[in-house]
Amino acid sequence: MSSDAKRVAITRRIHERAREVLEQAGCEVWTNPEPRALSREELGRVVRNYDAMICLLSDRIDASLLQEATRLRIVANYAVGFDNLDVEAATRRGIALTNTPDVLTNATAELAWALLFAAARHVAAGDRFVREGRFHGWDPLLLLGHEVAGKTLGIIGAGRIGTAMAKRAVGFEMRILYTKRSGPSPQMDAIGATFVGLEELLRESDFVSIHTPLTPETRHLIDREKLQLMKPTAILINTGRGPVVDEAALAEALAEGRLAAAGLDVYENEPTVEPRLLKLPNVVLLPHIGSATYEARAAMAELAALNILDFFDGRVPRTCINPEYVKHARQA
Ligand code: GLV
Ligand code: GLV
């Protein structure tokens, strides 16, 4: 390998496909060998000493870190959501940012469905019941849940994942309502879904599934007042970003029976989970595994690597979040 090889850092062990693709193209790749995130100081060393970085959604790439980025030119986020990146600060410094859309859409929509069914039919509670030795035979009143057929599903944020979630609801013969910040979606309309306002969606839906990105506008989008609009028999699913829901208000609504159940893959202050949620039987809790399939993680690794190679080849990366970086990079 020549000494002017491009240096790429990966902030945590990910699917090996990323390293393979990068090394085949002649890059020098360093991966954090520890089973923990890099500290702020270690990230500082990365941005000063590497040309490119693949980072996790839990790595905070903020303005102060980017100020130290004397060598770094591109950050490839190993996630579709990128609320961990300061897009404006990176763009000003001419640093390219990329994410991993599309390749994790099915994985995440499937997990949202797994949570929906788990919450509706007491899958996790039933498993605990059997393990605790409490199953003493068929019981006519044991663990009654809610059917999905014919019910109303509300999709908050009909982007790629929200649309994939909705498409699967067609097979369950559900009525589908949705919100989308940019207005009605032809794909959603094509499956017979109805574009509505958020309040109407919350009042009407039996199942509400959150797929909106986290932005200043969507933080606590589902707060105490919004939760009060929901039916007491409704079930809330969140596979998007935790801070979209006021977690304390959600725990309160679940504890008081103002909401039947919830299924959560994401939390307001990860990895901390609101202690009251941990004690409630009517919430299913998963450790942020929406994209955790072999297929999605391999494809995410390849896409992150290909974005970096696009950049090194002088092209705007294929899934670039801030293509305007180019204008600033010329001045930098
Ligand atoms: C996971 O949460 C992602 O944004 O990819
Ligand atoms: C997320 O919802 C996406 O659009 O990929």
Side-chain angles (χ1 to χ4, degrees), residues 242-264:
V244 173
V245 178
D246 179 338
E247 211 167 271
L250 174 63
E252 210 173 278
L254 288 166
E256 292 170 5
R258 284 186 281 110
L259 199 63
L264 306 177

Side-chain angles (χ1 to χ4, degrees), residues 80 101-102 104-105 157 159-162 211-213:
V80 67
D102 299 315
L104 46 60
T105 296
R160 299 174 192 86
I161 299 168
H211 301 282
T212 183

Side-chain angles (χ1 to χ4, degrees), residues 57 78-82 100 104 239-241 266 288 291 300:
L57 59 90
Y78 192 59
V80 67
F82 51 85
T100 60
L104 46 60
T239 54
R241 282 290 181 271
V266 290
H288 204 150
S291 69
M300 289 162 68

Side-chain angles (χ1 to χ4, degrees), residues 146-158:
H146 297 270
E147 259 167 54
V148 307
K151 298 282 175 60
T152 299
L153 172 65
I155 301 281
I156 298 179

